[in-house]
């Protein structure tokens, strides 16, 4: 597949990005899904080219994660721990509302321990990719992705529930 720029790929996956943004915005977050997608796209506008829509979605997921973390940290700068952003992590097996900063810190720790597992969590949760899409994107078997997802989810659940 030929490499494409974001202007070509955005119309193809715009609706998917908005669904992703809606899913992990915090209830206290004033940033609307459309704004989150557009801000992420602006951060990506100088990146690329991308090999596929999946590659673009994965990159957009990272940008949206960083945007949400930056906003949560700015908001909490005055009172550390006073106004955490909470998001739902369906499928992680953790508490229904998770501190987005704690999630980011745990995911960063997981990344240092096992980069692929952290990538899988990021692609699955923040990117909304399916298991087969993740396997293809990472060039590993579906079975490997499913096994790593289960282990990463269990590890994150322990980390986030012990805070």
């Amino acid at each position: 597949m030929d490499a494409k720029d974001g202007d070509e790929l955005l119309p193809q996956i715009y609706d998917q990005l908005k669904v992703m943004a809606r899913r992990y915005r915090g209830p206290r977050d004033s940033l609307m899904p459309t704004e989150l997608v557009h801000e992420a796209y602006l951060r990506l506008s100088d990146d690329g080219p991308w090999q596929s829509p999946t590659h673009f979605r994965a990159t957009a997921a990272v940008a949206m994660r960083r945007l949400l973390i930056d906003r949560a940290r700015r908001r909490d700068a005055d009172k550390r721990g006073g106004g955490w952003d909470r998001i739902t992590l369906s499928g992680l097996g953790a508490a229904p509302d998770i501190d987005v900063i704690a999630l980011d810190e745990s995911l960063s720790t997981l990344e240092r321990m096992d980069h692929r597992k952290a990538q899988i969590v990021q692609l699955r949760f923040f990117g909304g990719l399916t298991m087969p899409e993740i396997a293809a994107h990472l060039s590993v078997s579906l079975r490997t992705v499913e096994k790593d997802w289960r282990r990463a989810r269990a590890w994150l659940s322990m980390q986030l529930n012990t805070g």
Side-chain angles (χ1 to χ4, degrees), residues 7-8 33 48 59-60 62 64 74-75 87 95-96 108 116 134 140:
D7 291 338
E8 288 180 81
T59 307
V62 172
M64 285 193 271
R74 276 194 308 271
R75 188 172 24 257
I87 57 175
S108 295
R116 187 177 66 213
I134 294 169
V140 297

Side-chain angles (χ1 to χ4, degrees), residues 19-163:
V19 168
M20 289 167 29
R22 234 180 261 112
R23 190 177 67 219
Y24 51 75
R25 269 181 64 250
R28 292 180 49 243
D29 201 333
S30 61
L31 189 65
M32 299 305 294
T34 301
E35 293 171 308
L36 181 57
V37 169
H38 289 198
E39 279 194 44
Y41 179 74
L42 289 174
R43 285 193 178 188
L44 298 175
S45 61
D46 292 333
D47 294 349
W50 290 276
Q51 287 82 36
S52 67
T54 300
H55 182 217
F56 183 72
R57 248 172 70 200
T59 307
V62 172
M64 285 193 271
R65 172 185 169 199
R66 289 182 180 147
L67 278 164
L68 290 170
I69 298 305
D70 290 348
R71 286 176 58 85
R73 285 193 174 129
R74 276 194 308 271
R75 188 172 24 257
D76 292 346
D78 293 336
K79 282 195 327 190
R80 178 71 178 137
W84 292 338
D85 245 5
R86 301 243 180 233
I87 57 175
T88 301
L89 286 180
S90 59
L92 274 184
D97 290 328
I98 303 295
D99 173 0
V100 71
I101 295 173
L103 170 63
D104 182 62
E105 291 167 356
S106 294
L107 200 49
S108 295
T109 300
L110 179 61
E111 190 168 22
R112 287 189 298 276
M113 293 172 16
D114 191 322
H115 181 72
R116 187 177 66 213
K117 284 184 180 81
Q119 275 186 299
I120 290 169
V121 171
Q122 185 163 275
L123 293 170
R124 180 82 173 141
F125 176 72
F126 288 97
L129 274 66
T130 65
M131 294 296 196
E133 287 173 325
I134 294 169
H137 181 70
L138 297 179
S139 300
V140 297
S141 72
L142 178 58
R143 183 179 166 119
T144 297
V145 170
E146 290 169 341
K147 178 184 68 166
D148 284 353
W149 169 247
R150 282 191 305 273
R151 289 180 177 167
R153 194 175 62 203
W155 185 86
L156 280 171
S157 181
M158 273 188 355
Q159 295 300 305
L160 295 170
N161 285 327
T162 60

